[in-house]
Amino acid sequence: MRQAVGCRAAWLGLMLLGLAGCMSPGMAPVDERSPAHRTVKSEGARPATPQIAPSTNGLHTVQRGDTLYAIAFANGLDYREIAIWNQLESADRILVGQVLRLTPPAGAVEIKPLDDEPAPSARPLTDPPVLREPQAQLLTYSDANWAQVSGARPATPPAPVAASPIPAPLSRPPRHRRPRPRHPPPARRSTPGCGQWTVR
């Protein structure tokens, strides 16, 4: 009984809190601002990075806005190679006015793709050979067939063992069953409460 009263009180409290949350004294305040109140910083458009021209003499003088990647891309090189050739500690740090070598120094190993190999040519596929005879044989299970398949010698059959008499099963005492009641028990009634239903 106490549980049912507690559940009802909890539900009632939750419903009252929900209703109280839906009620408000008036409209929500809206503050509308016109564009005149906004201060827009008018920054000049960022100048686009100047287009880097490919080098004709194998050197490039770094200008403001240049990146090692852009210099390498304009000259068809790998930025890591340029960093190695110029002994840069970091590929991210180059200075304005710095002169970069765009050709490998004497004795340096240059990585080039293999252009000497011919392009792969298309060939028609050949038909796989068709097997005309069965490759396996179905054998019934026996020790001789198993020995033939596994490559082992056939096992000699074990000597027959004299059969021992089977002991009689132990008898169990009869089981006593409780008599069933003639009338079903009366239905149990409970008060409807928190998660309970009336059983009739």
Side-chain angles (χ1 to χ4, degrees), residues 67-151:
T67 62
L68 193 61
Y69 182 79
I71 296 167
F73 185 75
N75 291 286
L77 299 169
D78 186 2
Y79 73 95
R80 293 169 288 206
E81 288 180 339
I82 296 175
I84 292 170
W85 296 338
N86 292 284
Q87 299 172 352
L88 298 176
E89 291 179 12
S90 172
D92 298 331
R93 185 157 190 235
I94 55 175
L95 304 173
V96 175
Q98 185 177 5
V99 178
L100 297 176
R101 171 193 291 266
L102 300 178
T103 57
V109 177
E110 188 176 357
I111 302 169
K112 288 186 176 181
L114 297 175
D115 292 334
D116 299 340
E117 287 195 23
S121 60
R123 309 179 267 177
L125 295 175
T126 58
D127 291 335
V130 178
L131 301 175
R132 304 267 183 227
E133 298 176 11
Q135 300 297 311
Q137 195 176 22
L138 182 62
L139 299 173
T140 58
Y141 179 78
S142 69
D143 290 332
N145 287 342
W146 175 251
Q148 177 187 358
V149 171
S150 66

Side-chain angles (χ1 to χ4, degrees), residues 33-40:
R33 296 183 181 176
S34 64
H37 293 173
R38 293 185 189 170
T39 55
V40 178

